[in-house]
Amino acid sequence: MEQLEKKIIFSGIQPSGCITLGNYLGAIKNWVALQDDYRCLYSVVDMHAITVRQDPKQLRQRCLEFLCLLLACGLDPDKNLLFFQSHVPTHAELAWVLNCFTYMGELGRMTQFKDKSAKHADNINVGLFTYPALMAADILLYQADLVPVGGDQKQHVELTRDIAVRFNSLFGETFKVPEPYIPKVGARIMSLAEPTKKMSKSDDNPKAYISLLDDFNVIAKKIKSAVTDSDGRVCRGEGKEGIDNLLNIYSVTSGESIASLEARFEGRGYGEFKAEVAQAVVECIRPIRRRFDDYMNDKAYIESVYKKGAETALKISQRTLDKVHKKLGYVARAK
Ligand code: TYM
């Protein structure tokens, strides 16, 4: 009974590139913190991933790695439903419907569409354009109350809200209008090479991001070579985006506040500071890595997790889809 009263959370991660420290600190760490108080569904969104070209063999491997990393980060499959998006056909079905209630102008304004179409100018496909309608379907199918994401996904969640409100006002209460849930610190982990850009798993420069699967000495090297400034003071400030980012990373991985870090590093150089940041990051990732290897070696267990996840997700989401089809005027399927 108590289970029914819990609020619902949905979020997703795209299996493109690798899971970065940005994904972990901006989203996954929060997902783990929420799992006791909410009914949570988390999906490896493989259908979103094919909006840019993927090598099939690599995609399959990465999907499994992503799922194992989510488990290794601490998501408990007894408390959360974990599944691959392509295993639950209601996502594609509702996405089609929502495409018909989303305007070209709205999709054209999406920052992610503009960035990705600039980056993949030879493959500006329709899926890339309508990506937010599929994301809206992901969320609305489960009547989610909250969507825990990093700052970069806020625009998509806001569009999801607009689509839900539009549909509800045309057909009566159908979808819960979800709220974005964005962490105060860590919502935007920046690139180590260009700290005015977000850390992205699809960055062409591997020095720009930390993968949760990087060797520990590679992580230390990447942090050591992170772009900073010539000011020499470990504090936030104008033109100090690089240090600001490292302070953020240190604070979220260690739990120490930024003010306390600034005070502790007064009069000390960037070298010492970066060495400590690297240490904190490695200590944060170390237990995740240990568990990751165990999960990757247990294929039968992993299969049972994503099978159960998809079966239950289908049951829940089918209720919403049936309601939508009825409201639209489709003839009910003969039983
Ligand atoms: P994706 O796969 O790019 O990222 C997964 C999550 O990580 C967050 N994130 C970051 N947070 C802080 N700093 C960063 N540098 C950083 N980079 C990424 C993202 O905000 C996200 O929360 N469209 C989504 C996937 C998706 C989804 C959904 C999310 C599909 N359907 C439904 C929520 C609900 C995406 O590409 O995330």
Side-chain angles (χ1 to χ4, degrees):
M1 200 55 204
E2 192 210 341
Q3 187 76 349
L4 288 176
E5 284 154 20
K6 283 186 178 173
K7 288 197 168 176
I8 299 170
I9 280 188
F10 181 93
S11 202
I13 185 161
Q14 263 196 94
S16 47
C18 51
I19 294 191
T20 67
L21 190 65
N23 297 130
Y24 179 64
L25 301 180
I28 303 167
K29 195 166 179 283
N30 247 332
W31 300 356
V32 176
L34 295 165
Q35 65 185 347
D36 288 320
D37 300 324
Y38 295 85
R39 245 185 119 186
C40 306
L41 299 104
Y42 297 114
S43 183
V44 176
V45 292
D46 47 2
M47 288 159 64
H48 278 101
I50 62 160
T51 53
V52 301
R53 293 279 175 262
Q54 303 287 346
D55 171 74
K57 213 171 143 197
Q58 269 182 19
L59 179 63
R60 195 170 297 117
Q61 176 66 13
R62 222 184 286 125
C63 284
L64 293 167
E65 284 178 4
F66 268 50
L67 187 71
C68 289
L69 267 173
L70 294 185
L71 293 167
C73 287
L75 287 178
D76 178 346
D78 291 329
K79 295 181 184 161
N80 308 276
L81 287 182
L82 302 171
F83 63 95
F84 294 118
Q85 185 185 31
S86 65
H87 291 186
V88 185
T90 42
H91 289 245
E93 290 179 83
L94 183 62
W96 172 254
V97 173
L98 299 185
N99 269 323
C100 302
F101 294 88
T102 309
Y103 298 116
M104 305 280 284
E106 289 175 316
L107 295 173
R109 280 195 291 278
M110 294 294 115
T111 312
Q112 186 170 302
F113 172 68
K114 289 191 216 158
D115 290 351
K116 287 205 174 167
S117 44
K119 196 167 168 205
H120 304 277
D122 56 338
N123 180 23
I124 308 177
N125 61 73
V126 180
L128 190 63
F129 188 62
T130 64
Y131 177 117
L134 176 58
M135 180 159 159
D138 298 340
I139 298 167
L140 300 179
L141 274 172
Y142 301 97
Q143 308 290 348
D145 297 278
L146 283 183
V147 186
V149 282
D152 63 316
Q153 294 299 317
K154 189 165 174 246
Q155 199 185 28
H156 287 159
V157 181
E158 275 163 2
L159 179 58
T160 300
R161 289 170 55 86
D162 292 344
I163 299 170
V165 168
R166 182 172 306 145
F167 195 97
N168 287 349
S169 65
L170 285 166
F171 296 100
E173 215 46 36
T174 311
F175 298 122
K176 173 75 68 59
V177 181
E179 297 282 342
Y181 182 93
I182 295 166
K184 287 198 181 69
V185 192
R188 209 167 150 74
I189 301 296
M190 310 307 279
S191 152
L192 298 179
E194 282 172 80
T196 49
K197 266 179 38 186
K198 77 160 184 172
M199 181 182 284
S200 163
K201 53 171 121 73
S202 42
D203 203 305
D204 295 328
N205 176 6
K207 279 190 173 169
Y209 59 80
I210 291 173
S211 160
L212 294 193
L213 297 180
D214 275 341
D215 275 351
F216 293 150
N217 57 355
V218 170
I219 293 180
K221 273 197 198 133
K222 285 184 179 178
I223 292 178
K224 199 171 158 201
S225 64
V227 169
T228 51
D229 54 70
S230 54
D231 168 57
R233 288 174 307 135
V234 178
C235 59
R236 284 170 297 188
E238 188 75 22
K240 293 181 68 68
E241 292 85 2
I243 290 294
D244 191 26
N245 190 34
L246 293 177
L247 275 167
N248 242 324
I249 291 174
Y250 196 177
S251 173
V252 208
T253 47
S254 68
E256 186 171 347
S257 74
I258 291 183
S260 156
L261 289 171
E262 285 175 332
R264 199 153 66 70
F265 280 94
E266 211 182 320
R268 293 164 69 190
Y270 289 170
E272 257 182 277
F273 173 60
K274 285 176 163 178
E276 279 200 31
V277 177
Q279 185 69 22
V281 170
V282 166
E283 289 320 316
C284 169
I285 296 179
R286 194 189 301 279
I288 298 176
R289 284 287 280 286
R290 206 177 320 114
R291 293 191 292 258
F292 171 75
D293 291 336
D294 293 343
Y295 286 122
M296 283 302 282
N297 289 325
D298 197 346
K299 291 251 157 21
Y301 175 71
I302 293 305
E303 213 175 286
S304 73
V305 168
Y306 66 73
K307 183 167 183 275
K308 182 184 133 215
E311 281 169 2
T312 316
L314 179 60
K315 268 192 213 135
I316 303 172
S317 57
Q318 191 68 54
R319 279 184 235 140
T320 301
L321 189 67
D322 288 349
K323 189 155 116 185
V324 168
H325 283 175
K326 194 169 169 196
K327 297 227 173 188
L328 289 168
Y330 289 174
V331 173
R333 285 178 209 192
K335 294 237 163 91

